[in-house]
Amino acid sequence: MSSSIVSTDWLASHLDQSGLVIIDCRKSKPGINPPIDFHGKYLEAHIPGAVYIEVDDISDCSTGLPHMLPDAEAFSKSMSERGISNNSAVVLYDEGDLFSAPRVWWMLTRFGANNVRILDGGLNAWLKEGKRTEGGERKLPPANFEARLESQVVVSAEQVKQALGKVQIIDARSLGRFRGEQPEPRPGLHGGHIPGSLSVPFTELTENGRIKSPQALKETFSRLGVDTTQRTISSCGSGVTAAALLFGLHLIGAEDVLIYDGSWAEWGDINKDYPIETQ
């Protein structure tokens, strides 16, 4: 398997490995009211040894936009307090649909974590296979994480505006939201998409609850019009599943990808005047 993915069998056989950190990063999807209490579900049952991290709890939520990338100092503090160091062997899991684990993978790897992988199939596959779980809260002793950004990883709305027609932009939302045919789950947003962007729903990255093979991923991106040799800006509703597309491209060796962190929560704001297409 890819160095960025582990199988359920591999994880089951390495649960007692020294230095292994397992992170349950399941997150409720927007538009579900009330939101699913995944921390509560974690307390009921999780992969043995896993700690729980919600994306919002390690993000900058002070900007008026959802879960933006924090600065290095804040991320260092978040990870150190949670017992994660730059050299921890980290395995992340969500439900298996790549909704939230890639966002945490992206944050960790961009800030200097050296060994981070995602569990193929997530918790759903683990449970389906009858592998053991445990309940309760697991905490790790504090560690030392030194966060650093060695290159640009996000773009602003103004940078996206300047890139229109010059850089490939992909959108991880559903096709219905991309076309403005389905309502946005967050209030106060237009329907539609950034002009010239491509619809690449993040749900296309998995099949039967597993991450597609590299060859199938290549065929998927090609079918949806993505040129994997081009510099790419990945967007979505609020920056979370944009990281899923970046992760999928990473798995096939396409690394020149930046995330528009504000995504549609910013671009589609009815109080802003960014250009929008619906077809």
Side-chain angles (χ1 to χ4, degrees), residues 44-175:
E44 293 173 3
H46 56 262
I47 294 174
V51 299
Y52 182 78
I53 294 180
E54 217 281 359
V55 169
D56 289 356
D57 293 338
I58 58 172
S59 301
D60 182 358
C61 297
S62 67
T63 67
L65 292 167
H67 37 250
M68 296 295 97
L69 188 71
D71 62 28
E73 181 179 359
F75 195 75
S76 295
K77 185 172 185 292
S78 290
M79 293 302 102
S80 298
E81 289 176 347
R82 289 167 171 81
I84 302 165
S85 74
N86 298 76
N87 293 320
S88 295
V90 179
V91 175
L92 309 165
Y93 70 85
D94 52 25
E95 291 186 289
D97 57 0
L98 296 184
F99 176 68
S100 52
R103 175 73 186 196
V104 182
W105 172 88
W106 172 74
M107 294 172 75
L108 280 164
T109 57
R110 295 313 183 262
F111 272 124
N114 299 314
N115 184 2
V116 188
R117 290 178 280 181
I118 290 176
L119 179 63
D120 188 23
L123 185 63
N124 287 350
W126 186 271
L127 296 174
K128 186 176 181 180
E129 294 165 6
K131 290 179 165 59
R132 66 186 179 95
T133 61
E134 67 179 15
E137 190 87 56
R138 178 66 71 101
K139 298 288 187 182
L140 299 176
N144 180 41
F145 193 100
E146 296 183 6
R148 59 192 180 277
L149 289 179
E150 296 183 353
S151 61
Q152 181 184 15
V153 299
V154 296
V155 291
S156 67
E158 286 306 315
Q159 287 172 314
V160 173
K161 197 171 181 180
Q162 293 300 315
L164 294 180
K166 303 172 187 174
V167 177
Q168 178 174 246
I169 302 172
I170 55 178
D171 189 324
R173 295 173 302 152
S174 68
L175 182 60

Side-chain angles (χ1 to χ4, degrees), residues 8-35:
T8 50
D9 286 342
W10 183 93
L11 183 57
S13 65
H14 288 78
L15 288 176
D16 296 324
Q17 177 180 307
S18 177
L20 180 67
V21 176
I22 306 170
I23 300 176
D24 182 327
C25 49
R26 288 175 290 168
K27 179 176 177 57
S28 188
K29 295 177 174 66
I32 296 178
N33 291 306

